[in-house]
């Protein structure tokens, strides 16, 4: 089943996000390589694809996991979480309808 991981960034965490980004992307790449990643991306703090110094307010990941507990464990092990980027992480089941 798919699960939505919605993470909210801690204010002032842009530098930590930039530092942890390679490791974060490597984990997402692993999910993609397994065919389990539906989509992933950051949430810009302003209405622009490159928010520059405004940074981001969080991230959204939708991926397939065996269970809700597995999805939560994966989210808890995210490098952004370990680096203090994420202030709050919500994990919920996601039913893909379209496309």
């Amino acid at each position: 089943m798919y699960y939505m991981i919605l993470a909210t960034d801690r204010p002032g965490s842009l530098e930590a996000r930039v530092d942890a980004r390679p490791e974060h992307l490597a984990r997402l790449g692993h999910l993609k390589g397994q065919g389990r990643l539906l989509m992933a991306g950051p949430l810009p703090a302003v209405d622009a694809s490159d928010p520059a110094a405004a940074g981001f307010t969080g991230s959204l990941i939708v991926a397939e996991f065996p269970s809700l507990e597995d999805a939560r464990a994966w989210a808890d092990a995210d490098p952004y979480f370990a680096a203090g980027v994420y202030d709050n992480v919500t994990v919920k089941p996601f039913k893909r309808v379209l496309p």
Side-chain angles (χ1 to χ4, degrees):
M1 176 165 201
Y2 284 109
Y3 295 88
M4 174 210 69
I5 300 169
L6 179 62
T8 304
D9 284 10
R10 179 179 49 81
S13 62
L14 182 57
E15 186 176 334
R17 175 183 269 274
V18 170
D19 291 346
R21 187 171 189 261
E23 194 177 351
H24 171 78
L25 292 178
R27 290 182 82 233
L28 290 172
H30 183 70
L31 282 179
K32 181 181 177 187
Q34 294 176 330
R36 296 171 43 203
L37 182 64
L38 182 62
M39 62 184 235
L43 307 173
V46 294
D47 189 13
S49 60
D50 180 4
F56 301 91
T57 61
S59 299
L60 173 65
I61 299 166
V62 179
E64 188 175 23
F65 293 94
S67 68
L68 179 59
E69 292 77 24
D70 288 322
R72 284 185 177 140
W74 189 91
D76 288 345
D78 192 289
Y80 282 170
F81 192 74
V85 174
Y86 291 157
D87 185 41
N88 183 37
V89 178
T90 301
V91 181
K92 293 184 176 187
F94 178 84
K95 182 178 176 183
R96 181 178 181 179
V97 175
L98 294 171

